[in-house]
Every structure is written in C-alpha cells, then in structure tokens.
C-alpha cells in the first residue's frame, strides 16, 4: 500500500476540485517519493509488475549492438559516438548493448560513450549499480533531463524502450453527442471518474487525429509526446533515433473498432480493473500514437526512415545467426522467440526509426525491405 500518495491526491481534490487525469497519472507514476517508478522499487521483470522486451533477456541489446555497429561503419567509423538512452529503468538494456560491444564489436569499444537521461535519483542509483563493472571500459554520464545535455557534435544513437507509453495521457470520451474529458474526483474517499465538457485544446487534438465521434468512444491524447520527440531531435546533430514501444499509427490507434481506448493498469503481471485505485502501486500505460512522433519529429529535422514490428526488425538483425553463419545457445533462441513471437512482443511492439543528417544511401538493416514512412494521419 502507498496510503501517503492516495491521501495527498485526495486532499488536493478536496482543496481545489477534480484533477485532470494526466495530472493524476503524473503523480501516480512520478511523484518524487511515492510514484510507481520514482520510488525505485523493481517494476520490470519476473519479480516486478510486468515483463518488457528488455527484462526478457539480453538478446534485444545484442541485436541493437549489431545495428549500432552497422551505422558506425556507414558513417566511416568516426572515432567517437554517443549512445543515449532515456527511460533506462535499471540500466539493463544499456549493459546488454555495451557487453555485446565488448564481445562482438571491438571497433565500437574504444569509440562509444554512454549517456543516460534519468530524472529519478533512485533509478540513477540502480543504473549505476548495474553498470558499475562497465564504467572502467566506457565513459558513462547521467543527465537529469535533456536540457542538462548540450547537443553533441559527435554522431548519436538515441534509443528508448517502453518510455513513451508511460508519459501521462489525457482522456476524451464521446457521450450523448459531445466530447467530454475525464477528470478524477472523490466519492466516499474513493477516486472516481468525472466527465467534464471538453475544452478547445483537446478538441483540436481529436480533430487533428480524426478521432471518430462515436457514442462511447474513448481516446487518449498524450500532451508531452510532441515536445519530447522535438527535444530529442534538438539534442542530435547527426544520428539515429529508435523508439521501441507498443503503439500504432493514428488511423489504427483511433479506429472505430478500438472504441474503449488503450489505457491499462498493471500490477503483479495482471491487468487491474480500476486505473484510479491505489495510485503509486500500479502501472498506468497507454499506446503510443506513432504518427504523432513521425510528424513532430519531422518538425525537429528527424527524417522518418520506417516503422516496423519487433518480429520483422529483430529477425532481420539476427540474420547471421538464423542462417547458421554464427552459433547461438538454446537460451538465446528462447529469448529471441520471446521477442519475436506474435503471442509475446513480436506483433505488439513496434520500432520507429528516425534519422538526422545521415547519408542518403544509408538504409539500416533493422528496416530492410520496409519502404519509407507514410506519416499522414489519414
Ligand atoms: C515501462 S518502464 C520501461 C523500462 C525499460 N526501458 C524497459 O524496457 O524495461 C518506463 C520507464 O520510463 C521512465 N520514464 C518515464 N518518463 C521519463 C522521462 N521523462 N525521463 C526519463 N525516464 C522516464 C520510467 O521511470 C520507467 O523507468
């Protein structure tokens, strides 16, 4: 239980009235002491609340290291490159990539510096712990936010896994012929949903994404997604940006068949029935609107190179192993299947690949046979 956060939020509602859902979600996940993530408890993996492609094993990191190596070669092997991750949780993916560089990609070893964007002191400590043995081999730097990282001259490979789905969302619902926005109120000391008439800012977003005005239709809108991808674009002079997450292009995300929205609350590997219950002790997440990241990234100078699912992307990167040119263990195969099987991460998770100032001829293996992006919302 985390009664302090519930009490704090309840008092806020008593003092100032119902709060917008994204502000409730911000506190539930990132309250400095009691937030689900910022409290520093183990959240991912078998002993946490849910599995992610990272906590499933080291293969994702090993395959990404191949992509970094190919990109480094395409740039003519510059003497320094910057690997940058946001939302690293315990730092497992960064450790898997660096370990793969040591074993399989010696040309990257002397060239790579790692930068982690991490606002939470508790998670920074966990990451330092995970990466301790690698710190003598690679320069590793932590930054509280993107502002404290000055844009780098050296080429940058920026990646995140299940980061954007955890950015707070606003929720709109169409009811009795008009759009409402969902707020959080109190009833007998329990948090309850409250519909308020939707204001013009959220109506503009619903219009931008052609969200169908169907009775009962719910849609999440993520206020910080555009600012985030534009800030990533600003950080990089030249490089690749990989965003790995569950999500869809906007016409599929806001499709009439997905009328209940995508907000999910998770705890101990189960969906819970009430996203408002026990804030700080359950995860809250919603699908990513990939069209938004493509369009807003373009505004910051990121060219969209392609969007592909885990199954296709990782199968392409694993080609030398799958074709028998390189050996692998049973354990490796199980981890790979978990990442690519349609019943696990293979079809739910997508990788958006964006690039800035890269050679026109460069087409990353992760996207081979994928044609250029269609980033329209219609
Ligand atoms: C679902 S977890 C994913 C963790 C890890 N990347 C993985 O795939 O196992 C989401 C992570 O994003 C982090 N996060 C959310 N917003 C962030 C932000 N603005 N800056 C850095 N990390 C953030 C959370 O603290 C949490 O560790």
């Amino acid at each position: 239980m985390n009664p302090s956060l519930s009490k704090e939020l309840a008092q806020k509602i008593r003092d100032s009235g119902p709060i917008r859902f994204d502000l409730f979600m911000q506190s539930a996940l990132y309250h400095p002491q009691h937030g689900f993530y910022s409290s520093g408890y183990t959240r991912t993996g078998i002993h946490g609340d849910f599995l992610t492609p990272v906590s499933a094993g080291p293969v994702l990191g090993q395959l990404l290291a191949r992509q970094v190596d190919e990109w480094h070669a395409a740039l003519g092997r510059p003497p320094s490159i910057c690997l940058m991750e946001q939302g690293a949780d315990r730092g497992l993916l960064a450790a898997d990539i660096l370990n793969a560089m040591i074993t399989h990609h010696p040309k990257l070893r002397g060239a790579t510096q790692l930068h982690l964007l991490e606002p939470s002191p508790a998670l920074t400590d966990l990451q330092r712990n995970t990466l301790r043995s690698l710190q003598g081999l690679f320069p590793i730097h932590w930054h509280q936010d993107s502002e404290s990282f000055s844009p780098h001259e050296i080429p940058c490979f920026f990646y995140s896994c299940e980061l954007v789905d955890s950015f707070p969302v606003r929720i709109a619902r169409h009811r009795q012929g008009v759009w409402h926005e969902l707020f959080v109120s109190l009833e007998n000391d329990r948090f309850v949903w409250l519909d308020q008439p939707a204001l013009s800012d959220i109506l503009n977003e619903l219009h931008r994404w052609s969200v169908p005005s169907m009775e009962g239709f719910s849609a999440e809108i993520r206020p910080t997604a555009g600012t985030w991808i534009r800030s990533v674009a600003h950080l990089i002079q030249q490089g690749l940006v990989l965003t790995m997450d569950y999500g869809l292009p906007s016409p599929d995300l806001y499709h009439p068949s997905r009328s209940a929205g995508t907000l999910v609350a998770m705890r101990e590997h189960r969906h819970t029935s009430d996203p408002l219950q026990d804030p700080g002790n359950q995860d809250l997440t919603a699908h990513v609107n990939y069209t938004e990241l493509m369009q807003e990234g373009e505004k910051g100078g990121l060219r969209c190179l392609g969007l592909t699912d885990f199954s296709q992307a990782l199968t392409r990167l694993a080609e030398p192993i799958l074709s028998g040119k390189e050996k692998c263990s049973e354990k490796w195969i199980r981890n790979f299947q978990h990442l690519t099987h349609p019943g696990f991460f293979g079809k739910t998770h997508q990788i958006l690949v964006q690039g800035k100032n890269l050679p026109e001829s460069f087409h990353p293996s992760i996207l081979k046979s994928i044609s250029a992006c269609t980033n329209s919302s219609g």
Side-chain angles (χ1 to χ4, degrees):
M1 277 291 284
N2 190 350
S4 351
L5 183 54
S6 289
K7 275 192 191 152
E8 195 174 313
L9 285 166
Q11 194 56 46
K12 201 169 173 181
I13 294 171
R14 281 188 208 99
D15 292 345
S16 321
I19 49 181
R20 229 170 59 187
F21 178 70
D22 58 321
L23 304 178
F24 179 91
M25 182 168 170
Q26 175 70 32
S27 284
L29 299 185
Y30 306 112
H31 181 283
Q33 286 88 45
H34 310 300
F36 179 79
Y37 286 118
S38 34
S39 55
Y41 289 109
T42 298
R43 299 306 190 184
T44 63
I46 289 175
H47 302 294
D49 291 280
F50 50 90
L51 283 181
T52 65
V54 174
S55 56
V59 169
L60 179 63
Q62 293 166 7
L63 294 176
L64 289 180
R66 281 173 188 266
Q67 185 55 80
V68 180
D69 193 41
E70 180 196 69
W71 166 74
H72 187 232
L75 294 182
R77 298 232 174 259
S80 294
I81 56 164
C82 162
L83 199 62
M84 189 181 282
E85 180 172 359
Q86 188 171 4
D89 197 55
R90 282 173 285 158
L92 296 177
L93 182 54
D96 293 336
I97 296 175
L98 296 185
N99 279 319
M101 287 180 177
I102 293 171
T103 319
H104 298 293
H105 308 288
K107 289 187 177 139
L108 291 177
R109 191 174 152 175
T112 303
Q113 45 180 272
L114 174 67
H115 294 262
L116 297 170
L117 292 184
E118 183 51 71
S120 154
L123 290 179
T124 302
D125 285 347
L126 291 179
Q127 291 161 12
R128 283 189 198 281
N129 213 18
T130 304
L131 293 162
R132 184 152 292 135
S133 62
L134 290 157
Q135 269 194 292
L137 302 171
F138 296 89
I140 305 182
H141 306 278
W142 277 265
H143 310 268
Q144 279 202 317
D145 49 39
S146 52
E147 278 84 56
S148 57
F149 177 86
S150 37
H152 258 231
E153 295 292 318
I154 62 173
C156 212
F157 187 100
F158 185 105
Y159 64 96
S160 64
C161 183
E162 293 200 10
L163 167 72
V164 183
D165 73 84
S166 69
F167 291 172
V169 287
R170 296 171 70 175
I171 306 179
R173 185 157 60 199
H174 201 260
R175 192 169 58 78
Q176 296 177 338
V178 279
W179 282 106
H180 291 80
E181 177 160 7
L182 270 59
F183 279 61
V184 182
S185 187
L186 264 185
E187 215 172 81
N188 302 325
D189 287 335
R190 272 187 75 83
F191 296 112
V192 292
W193 294 108
L194 179 76
D195 284 7
Q196 304 268 44
L199 299 178
S200 59
D201 57 350
I202 196 162
L203 289 173
N204 289 343
E205 288 294 304
L206 297 168
H207 180 69
R208 176 179 180 190
W209 305 117
S210 308
V211 180
S213 296
M214 285 165 51
E215 186 61 21
F217 197 95
S218 279
E220 297 91 17
I221 299 289
R222 186 166 272 116
T224 54
T227 328
W228 171 73
I229 194 69
R230 280 183 271 113
S231 75
V232 172
H234 175 70
L235 284 182
I236 294 172
Q237 307 275 319
Q238 180 187 39
L240 268 181
V241 179
L242 265 66
T243 305
M244 299 172 274
D245 218 317
Y246 35 88
L248 294 161
S250 61
D252 300 329
L253 181 61
Y254 301 120
H255 192 267
S257 63
R258 209 178 296 279
S259 63
T262 65
L263 179 74
V264 160
M266 288 278 292
R267 184 178 191 162
E268 294 170 1
H269 301 274
R270 287 193 185 84
H271 288 189
T272 74
S273 58
D274 184 2
L276 303 183
Q277 147 201 313
D278 209 2
N281 284 319
Q282 57 176 356
D283 188 27
L284 296 171
T285 165
H287 278 40
V288 173
N289 174 355
Y290 271 114
T291 311
E292 181 173 21
L293 298 185
M294 293 176 200
Q295 291 185 358
E296 296 298 320
E298 294 272 354
K299 290 180 192 165
L302 290 179
R303 191 160 62 90
C304 179
L305 303 180
L307 177 68
T308 179
D309 63 43
F310 263 42
S311 179
Q312 296 189 59
L314 302 182
T315 301
R316 283 188 288 269
L317 288 178
E319 195 280 327
I321 297 170
L322 301 178
S323 64
K325 283 184 221 137
E326 291 176 22
K327 289 204 167 46
C328 67
S329 64
E330 280 290 317
K331 202 169 166 195
W332 190 97
I333 291 172
R334 270 202 305 281
N335 188 175
F336 178 75
Q337 285 173 338
H338 202 170
L339 291 171
T340 53
H341 192 284
F344 291 102
F345 299 115
K347 292 293 169 195
T348 51
H349 283 60
Q350 311 282 322
I351 308 185
L352 173 64
V353 186
Q354 293 162 295
K356 189 167 179 184
N357 294 329
L358 295 175
E360 274 297 318
S361 57
F362 175 61
H363 193 56
S365 280
I366 203 164
L367 292 173
K368 284 270 151 68
S369 84
I370 296 283
S371 52
C373 291
T374 49
N375 70 359
S376 75
S377 60

